[in-house]
Structure formats: C-alpha cells, structure tokens
Amino acid sequence: MDIKKTVAQMTLEEKCSLLSGADFWRTRPVERLNIPAVMVSDGPHGLRKQAEGGDHLGINDSIEAVCLPTASAAAASFDRDLCRQIGEAIGDACQHEKLAVNLGPAINIKRSPLCGRNFEYYSEDPYLAGELATAHTKGLQSRNVGVSVKHFAANSQENRRMSTSAEVDERTLREIYFPAFEKVVREGKAWTVMCSYNRINGVYSSENPWLLKKVLRDEWGFDGYVVSDWGAVNDRVKAVAAGLDLEMPSSGGSNDRRVMEAVRAGLLDEKDVDACVENILRIHMRYVENAKPETVWDKESQHELAGRLASECMVLLKNEDGILPLKQEEKVAVIGRFAAVPRFQGGGSSHINCFRITSLMDELKDQPGVSYAQGYDIADEKPDEALIAEAVKAAAAADKAVIVAGLPDSFESEGYDRTHLRIPACQTELICRVAEANPNTVVVLYNGSPVEMPWLDKVKGLIEGYLGGQAIGTATANVLYGRVNPCGKLPETFAVKLEDTPCFLSYEGEGDTGVYNEGVFVGYRYYDKKKMNVLFPFGYGLSYTKFAYGGLKLSAPAIMDTDRLTVSVDVTNTGSVKGKEVVQLYVGDVQSTVFRPVRELKGFEKIELMPGETKTVTFELDKRAFAYWNTTLHDWHVETGDFRIEICSDSRTVLLSETVRVESTVNVPVKYTVNSIFADLMGNRKAMEVLGPILKNGIFGGGEDKKESDTAKEAISDEMSKAMLMYMPLRAIASFSGGQLTYEALQAMVDRINEQ
Ligand code: BGC
C-alpha cells in the first residue's frame, strides 16, 4: 500500500476514526480504501488473546496459550539467544492467531524490589535490559509481527501508576531509564512503543512531545507508531500534537470527534493527524502484507522449549558442601505447595491461560525415594502446625530435603506494589523447622522479585527459580539433579533488607509526586558505591563446575573517544562437568568531575565450555561504554582520563582488571563570570595565564613576595590559605585588593578568559 497516497484520499472523519481502537484489542477498518482492522494482544511472555470480553487486568478468559519464562527469569539467563527464541515462539503464535502486534517486551528499570510488576521487567541495569529486550524484539519481529516495547518511560512503580509524576533529572533519565528503550528502538527497530501511564516531571507521557517526538523519533530514529498504555490518554488533542499515534482501547469515538473538532476549529494541525495515521498504517500494513495465518503454532514443542529455557534461567545461589546436584539414589523429601502447584507467572495483563503446567512433582512423582509434603497453605500466611509436622517428619526420614517456597500471587502483581520483602510467615517457619530436622536442606524459590532471607544460614542450598513459565517444574528437576548445569546470574541485587534499597526513603513519593532522589545510583550502582553488605550482588550465580579467567588484553593502552577498544579474555572450565558461564565486563571511571558509579556493566557474553576447554571472549567498547550524560552538552561525554576495564564474576568481584586512557574529542563549553570560583578556574590554562600575574603580584591579600609576621604564619599556613582561596569567587580579588583592581578590570579579564 502506498501509505501517503492512501492517507491523502481519506476524509478527516476517516482519519480520525483510525486514531483509536474499535474495541479493546482491534483497530478500525476503512473498507472503502481496503484498510483492514488488525488485532493486538498482550504479552510479553506468551499470548493473552481474548476472543471476547476484553480487559487489561487478566480477569476475563483468553485462549489457551504457552507461558514462556517471564522477563524476571529470562533476564537471569544473561542470554541474548534465549530471549530471541522467546520472541520467535511468540511471533509464530501471533502469526497463527492473526495478531499484528504483541504488547511487550516490558523493560522498565527495577528501581525498587517493591514494584509489583518487576516480574515482568528485566533488570536494575539498563544495559542488560536493553540487550535482552532487543534480542526478544528481533526474534519476534523476524516473524513479521510487531513488538510494543513498554512502558515508555519511568514507569517503575505500580501504586498510583496512572497519576504519579516521576520527577527525574535529565542525566538519570538518559543513563538509567532511557537506554533500554533506546537500544530496542535503534537496534531492535521496534515497530511500536507503548507510552506509560505516569507523568514525567509533570507531563503525561501520552502528551509529551519531548519524549515522543524529540527523543524517540528525532534522536533515536523511531519509525513505528506510539500506542497509549490502555487508558493512558488524558487529553487526546494534546496527545495527537505530541505524537501519540494510537489510543487504546476504544474511546467509543468521543476522542476521535474531539480531534476532528480541534482540526476544524484550527486548534490542531491536520498534518499532525496525518502523521499519526501514516505511522499506524505503515506498521499495520507491514503485518497485513506479510500475514501467514498458516504458520504452525506447535504448543507441545513450545512447552518443551519453555522448560528448556527456564532451566537456563535458574540461579544457583548457595551450594554448601556440594549438596547439589541431588543423586538419583538419594532419598529426597520434596516439600512445599509450589512443588505441586507452581507459581510461574504474575497477575495482571500478562496473565496467560496455559494449555499445560508442569510442576516439580509432575516430574518426580514416579522417582523412587522421593516423597512429598505440602508444608504450607497458599491462601493463609499463618503457619499450619499439622502441615509443618508432616513436612518435618518427611525431611527427617530423607537424606535431603528440598523446599519449594516463594511468593504467592497476591504478594506481587500488576496494579499495586509490595509493602515488604518477606515470604509468607508460614514458609519462613517451615524452612527453619525443616532445616532443624535435616541439615541437608535446599530451598528453591519461585518469585518475581527479591525477598529477604533471614533463614539463609540454616540451609545448605538455594536456587532462585524466578517465575519461569509453565514448564518450571521440568526446569527445576533438571537443575536439582544436574541434568542441566545451572548457569543463571542475578539480574538484580538481593539486598539484606528493604531499608537498604536505594530509594527506600523516597519510593512512591508523596501523593502524586515521586522524586527519584537516588539519581543514577540504582541497583548495584548504589550498593557498590556505598560498599554495603548485600545478600547476593548483581551478576552473581554459581555452577556445578568451576571457571578460571586469564589473559585479559586491551587492543590499545590509550584511545580517543571516537575509537573502539577491543577487549579479550580467556575463560577455562576447570571443573569436571560441562557448563555455561556469563563473562561480565564492567567499566569504571578512575577520576571524574561528576558523581559516577564504581563500575557499570558494559558487556557480557554467555559461553559453553566442556571440562578443560578454554575459549577467548572478545568485547568491543565504543564511546558509550565510557560516557556519562552531560547536561551542558545535552549529549554523551567522556572526560579525558583513565578508565578501569574489569572482568567480574558479579558486580562485587573483580577477577581481572586493566586500565585504558581515553582522550575526549569534545570540549564542554564553560562560561566564567566574576562569581566563578578559583577551584573551577585552576585547570583552565587561559585563566591561569590571565590571572597569574595579579595573583603573583600579591594584589590579593598579600602575594608570594609579601613578608608575613610569624604570628600570621602560625595562624594560617600556606596550604590553608591556598585551600581557602580555592573556594573564593573571582570578585573577591577586587574586593580585597584595596582598590588596586577595579571591578571593570576584573570583568575585562573574565571576558578574555571566555574568549578561548
Ligand atoms: C498494562 C499494559 C498492557 C495493557 C493491555 C495495561 O494495564 O499496563 O502493559 O499491555 O494494559 O492489557
């Protein structure tokens, strides 16, 4: 379809009719011009296609589908290829079900572990979130179906999500809350972007031209359409002008009429309407012209895929005395309701009606030596003595006990936040009592976000299983018994307690204003800077084998910020079983004039190694790996100086380190005034040239040549007076010169300095 030509043939009424949905999930057709209606459905980890009765809270039924690992789990894989496979599987399902767009991936940053929707998001780290979401996007869009990367932007809390204003400074937006979106748009070529419900610095995302036009389109080159989160439109006319193309769900025609009237009244440029319609049609026709409803959606094989992928997402957090893997001949007491009825997805719009669910006990029920005890009730938080007694008995009679615990559905969901980081009291009590009865106890957690673990010292083994999708039981069995060597790493820090978390003091804000006080110090950027004790750091995860690192090489000892640096490192499997390792590269600025994190993840690669095998892993770093967002330039900037290139096993453990010098090619313009202080002028050659003579001549409170009395020398040393001078403004020279230097002469000097 020639989109421009088609739009030119449309009446204003027809154009406006396309600006919002026909119902909850479909757009309107324009039959006269052969424009069909298309349907979209929720993701992000499967399909929630509602045949009828639409809602955005996961209440009404949807067709039977496959629930793949949620983003909480997928992120722990640190595996781009795994995320691509998730995208491809969903893309096939969409083609089969005639869906033009799948509403995901959801990539908001995990600012606080309290956010109810963290199970749907990837990470506290923007680089990791961006890389994985881009892989998901490429996989899904390879099937000629669009993603809708959401929720743009700064939607990191659920309470008040439709009214709150995220008050975030420019640098923090650019360094923390934008980069994942930027990557998915620039590199993933996302077909659609979903704007968030919230406001950013007072402006609704749905009517923010800076966000939707300047940043998204002009800077990042977005060429798809922006859709509102369901019900995120406040003022449709403002939204059209700001670049919000499609309103969902249907406004019942009322907003379309408002837009039409605004155009007729001269309050809105018809060109803005045309732009929205063109964006929507371009994307929808991309799907329509490539629709393949004959695509096979093989749910059986996707179920198998879900299990395979989930096992690569599990994170082994503790393995004292090599308690894992379990051995076939051991007597194992499997304890916990989640072992029989797993929690593997979260509540809300991503909720999938699974065609099959495999629990751990489904996998182990026929295995000799395995017993099962329920241990706790899901509906009741209170410990149940009878259930605990039964579990303790089973544990005492077994060689090892495996407790499957975690967060029940009501604890974390879309639409509201958690208020604490505890697992239910009945589970904590169960873990303590079982571990007392059998010291060989392992805990497996099913949860979408970190929990506090006051019981950690009592157990020997711990696996973080996250919400791993409908075949989580298969994955758990495979990891427990060593059929799969665990290879996940934490995509977020596990704090010791809620009070330690970076935005504990300001999360959710006051009323409808939430100030992001912690700035760029989100997640490990905060814990590492403060050298705080954490339960488990970002990037942490064990394996049944061991890896040795060596041979770190940089392609050059010094580069310009326009050059690329190649970094290579050798990794060897020194254990006795095959395993996968995530090689993590972090960069840290040795000295900086702005506050910067100790180190930031700038590269990762997942590799598989046979016992004894060595592989060389190579990373390419460009300017962005060294840069921070400069608020004078409104651009990325590298300060000339040394940077540490660190190969780490997590954000706290540096295995190998080298230094590279990076030379900036950009000068940040500075305008000095008579109020500028000496400290800021010291590094400036021209300033020292201009000011040098008067300082030397002692015009300012006695110069180098001036004789001082001994008592004066005792009261104030040279170092002290130099230190004090540092923080004085230039105008102090004039004030203290006893008339020798006039203000006019000083201003002339400042002008000369500024001439450079
Ligand atoms: C959610 C979106 C979702 C939409 C449609 C909203 O409430 O925030 O993520 O795609 O509903 O169900």
Side-chain angles (χ1 to χ4, degrees):
M1 179 182 276
D2 183 333
I3 305 289
K4 276 211 182 295
K5 221 158 124 192
T6 307
V7 175
Q9 288 167 10
M10 292 167 88
T11 64
L12 179 61
E13 199 164 354
E14 282 170 336
K15 286 189 277 197
C16 291
S17 78
L18 291 185
L19 295 181
S20 73
D23 57 21
F24 221 82
W25 303 115
R26 268 166 280 253
T27 60
R28 285 212 188 81
V30 180
E31 270 138 29
R32 183 176 78 82
L33 295 167
N34 293 324
I35 296 172
V38 301
M39 186 174 183
V40 304
S41 102
D42 260 316
H45 36 262
L47 293 197
R48 188 173 71 98
K49 181 186 177 191
Q50 294 189 303
E52 49 208 277
D55 72 88
H56 62 302
L57 298 171
I59 300 165
N60 289 311
D61 248 359
S62 46
I63 61 161
E64 283 195 344
V66 184
C67 178
L68 294 146
T70 68
S72 65
S77 75
F78 273 68
D79 188 341
R80 297 175 185 85
D81 190 52
L82 182 146
C83 291
R84 184 187 50 76
Q85 290 183 56
I86 291 178
E88 287 170 354
I90 298 172
D92 285 340
C94 286
Q95 278 293 1
H96 181 85
E97 286 295 327
K98 305 193 186 69
L99 296 166
V101 171
N102 185 260
L103 306 176
I107 63 173
N108 293 104
I109 291 296
K110 299 184 183 193
R111 180 181 174 225
S112 163
L114 291 178
C115 175
R117 218 170 169 178
N118 276 2
F119 72 88
E120 243 183 289
Y121 300 148
Y122 289 95
S123 179
E124 65 189 23
D125 181 79
Y127 176 77
L128 179 63
E131 289 292 313
L132 299 182
T134 300
H136 174 109
T137 299
K138 285 183 177 168
L140 200 147
Q141 294 191 166
S142 72
R143 302 314 200 241
N144 286 310
V145 172
V147 298
S148 195
V149 53
K150 63 191 189 184
H151 312 86
F152 189 49
N155 181 180
S156 291
Q157 68 186 57
E158 284 301 280
N159 287 2
R160 294 177 180 265
R161 64 174 168 162
M162 297 185 81
S163 55
T164 192
S165 175
E167 304 287 315
V168 200
D169 64 78
E170 179 188 338
R171 182 177 160 211
T172 302
L173 280 175
R174 294 293 187 157
E175 289 188 27
I176 303 291
Y177 296 98
F178 280 1
F181 288 97
E182 182 179 359
K183 183 61 130 265
V184 181
V185 168
R186 280 192 200 268
E187 207 181 300
K189 305 273 179 252
W191 288 15
T192 89
V193 168
M194 186 189 292
C195 79
S196 59
Y197 283 127
N198 54 282
R199 292 172 292 147
I200 299 176
N201 299 323
V203 185
Y204 282 105
S205 298
S206 59
E207 55 195 45
N208 188 335
W210 171 75
L211 188 73
L212 303 183
K213 281 189 168 164
K214 174 154 187 315
V215 174
L216 187 61
R217 289 193 190 275
D218 301 349
E219 289 184 29
W220 301 346
F222 178 62
D223 70 349
Y225 70 76
V226 181
V227 58
S228 68
D229 196 346
W230 268 231
V233 168
N234 167 54
D235 177 328
R236 186 59 179 122
V237 176
K238 268 193 188 168
V240 169
L244 188 274
D245 303 301
L246 176 63
E247 173 184 12
M248 285 301 273
S250 164
S251 70
S254 64
N255 269 344
D256 308 340
R257 270 194 302 281
R258 268 190 202 118
V259 172
M260 212 153 55
E261 281 158 18
V263 172
R264 289 197 177 126
L267 300 171
L268 180 69
D269 194 333
E270 190 166 348
K271 285 205 191 91
D272 288 333
V273 174
D274 290 357
C276 292
V277 176
E278 277 174 27
N279 291 333
I280 296 168
L281 284 185
R282 190 173 340 105
I283 294 305
H284 283 165
M285 292 316 291
R286 204 180 279 172
Y287 160 74
V288 171
E289 286 163 4
N290 294 288
K292 283 200 187 68
E294 67 280 11
T295 304
V296 178
W297 181 14
D298 184 347
K299 292 187 198 153
E300 291 291 339
S301 80
Q302 287 199 359
H303 180 77
E304 190 267 327
L305 176 76
R308 193 151 34 84
L309 299 186
S311 61
E312 306 252 322
C313 301
M314 298 208 156
V315 192
L316 178 64
L317 291 175
K318 188 171 180 182
N319 197 14
E320 227 172 81
D321 304 334
I323 189 169
L324 292 173
L326 302 174
K327 295 179 193 71
Q328 214 64 29
E329 62 280 11
E330 282 168 346
K331 274 167 71 185
V332 179
V334 176
I335 297 165
R337 178 87 174 131
F338 282 159
V341 184
R343 174 139 188 276
F344 58 89
Q345 65 169 331
S349 61
S350 66
H351 202 268
I352 285 162
N353 178 14
C354 300
F355 91 98
R356 176 174 307 146
I357 297 162
T358 304
S359 72
L360 177 59
M361 282 317 294
D362 288 336
E363 289 288 343
L364 300 184
K365 62 181 182 302
D366 297 329
Q367 186 162 315
V370 171
S371 64
Y372 170 73
Q374 182 182 324
Y376 57 85
D377 189 7
I378 303 278
D380 195 354
E381 260 215 67
K382 280 201 305 298
D384 180 320
E385 265 313 314
L387 291 179
I388 293 181
E390 184 198 10
V392 165
K393 200 167 151 211
D399 298 318
K400 290 174 181 173
V402 173
I403 305 172
V404 184
L407 295 175
D409 267 318
S410 62
F411 272 54
E412 51 177 355
S413 167
E414 176 178 344
Y416 58 90
D417 293 326
R418 285 194 288 172
T419 52
H420 61 77
L421 300 183
R422 295 185 295 276
I423 57 174
C426 53
Q427 296 187 16
T428 303
E429 176 73 11
L430 175 76
I431 294 171
C432 295
R433 299 266 294 277
V434 166
E436 228 171 73
N438 190 337
N440 290 321
T441 293
V442 173
V443 171
V444 176
L445 288 173
Y446 293 163
N447 47 312
S449 198
V451 294
E452 291 169 357
M453 300 180 194
W455 39 262
L456 184 59
D457 286 348
K458 302 188 199 309
V459 302
K460 283 194 180 168
L462 176 63
I463 293 173
E464 176 53 76
Y466 280 113
L467 300 186
Q470 65 181 48
I472 196 167
T474 310
T476 311
N478 285 341
V479 169
L480 281 172
Y481 280 92
R483 294 189 283 270
V484 173
N485 189 351
C487 54
K489 303 278 179 184
L490 290 182
E492 62 200 321
T493 311
F494 276 48
V496 175
K497 55 185 190 303
L498 174 63
E499 291 75 7
D500 292 350
T501 57
C503 59
F504 174 71
L505 295 177
S506 62
Y507 185 60
E508 284 177 4
E510 293 171 333
D512 275 336
T513 306
V515 184
Y516 284 39
N517 284 319
E518 70 287 356
V520 299
F521 295 98
V522 174
Y524 66 89
R525 289 166 168 78
Y526 174 82
Y527 301 107
D528 292 356
K529 191 88 174 182
K530 292 194 76 174
K531 298 196 171 96
M532 282 172 79
N533 267 344
V534 295
L535 269 187
F536 299 105
F538 174 87
Y540 183 79
L542 304 168
S543 162
Y544 295 150
T545 189
K546 293 244 166 307
F547 300 98
Y549 284 69
L552 174 60
K553 282 191 205 78
L554 311 189
S555 56
I559 56 168
M560 304 300 284
D561 65 4
T562 41
D563 296 338
R564 283 168 174 269
L565 181 75
T566 307
V567 179
S568 63
V569 62
D570 302 329
V571 188
T572 306
N573 181 346
T574 55
S576 53
V577 287
K578 170 174 94 169
K580 288 188 176 175
E581 172 70 325
V582 177
V583 186
Q584 301 168 44
L585 184 152
Y586 296 76
V587 175
D589 195 350
V590 172
Q591 215 183 11
S592 167
T593 60
V594 296
F595 297 120
R596 295 198 71 175
V598 179
R599 60 182 61 86
E600 298 180 274
L601 185 73
K602 296 296 174 186
F604 64 88
E605 289 300 331
K606 195 164 192 174
I607 51 164
E608 184 169 46
L609 293 169
M610 299 305 283
E613 192 185 2
T614 300
K615 276 187 184 159
T616 302
V617 178
T618 306
F619 301 93
E620 283 265 304
L621 301 180
D622 62 11
K623 177 176 173 178
R624 275 293 276 276
F626 304 97
Y628 70 97
W629 182 264
N630 184 291
T631 50
T632 302
L633 296 170
H634 302 294
D635 199 357
W636 297 99
H637 181 244
V638 179
E639 278 187 335
T640 296
D642 289 345
F643 289 80
R644 284 183 310 270
I645 307 293
E646 300 174 328
I647 301 294
C648 302
S649 54
D650 57 63
S651 82
R652 280 290 167 87
T653 314
V654 181
L655 303 170
L656 299 168
S657 177
E658 280 287 345
T659 301
V660 65
R661 184 174 172 80
V662 185
E663 199 79 35
S664 176
T665 53
V666 177
N667 269 333
V668 183
V670 225
K671 262 251 156 307
Y672 296 108
T673 69
V674 291
N675 287 319
S676 300
I677 63 168
F678 281 94
D680 293 339
L681 287 148
M682 290 303 199
N684 186 303
R685 208 167 33 84
K686 181 82 177 286
M688 287 304 98
E689 237 172 72
V690 174
L691 298 171
I694 55 165
L695 292 175
K696 213 165 175 211
N697 290 340
I699 204 166
F700 178 61
E704 279 176 11
D705 308 334
K706 193 160 176 178
K707 290 254 175 319
E708 280 172 80
S709 71
D710 287 348
T711 33
K713 266 199 177 141
E714 267 167 36
I716 185 162
S717 68
D718 276 358
E719 284 68 34
M720 286 165 78
S721 67
K722 263 188 201 140
M724 288 174 186
L725 175 71
M726 292 276 278
Y727 302 105
M728 285 194 187
L730 286 182
R731 72 178 140 72
I733 318 178
S735 335
F736 297 136
S737 72
Q740 285 187 60
L741 181 71
T742 63
Y743 284 99
E744 289 73 21
L746 182 67
Q747 182 60 55
M749 288 171 139
V750 171
D751 292 344
R752 268 181 59 211
I753 297 170
N754 281 333
E755 268 165 23
Q756 61 194 326

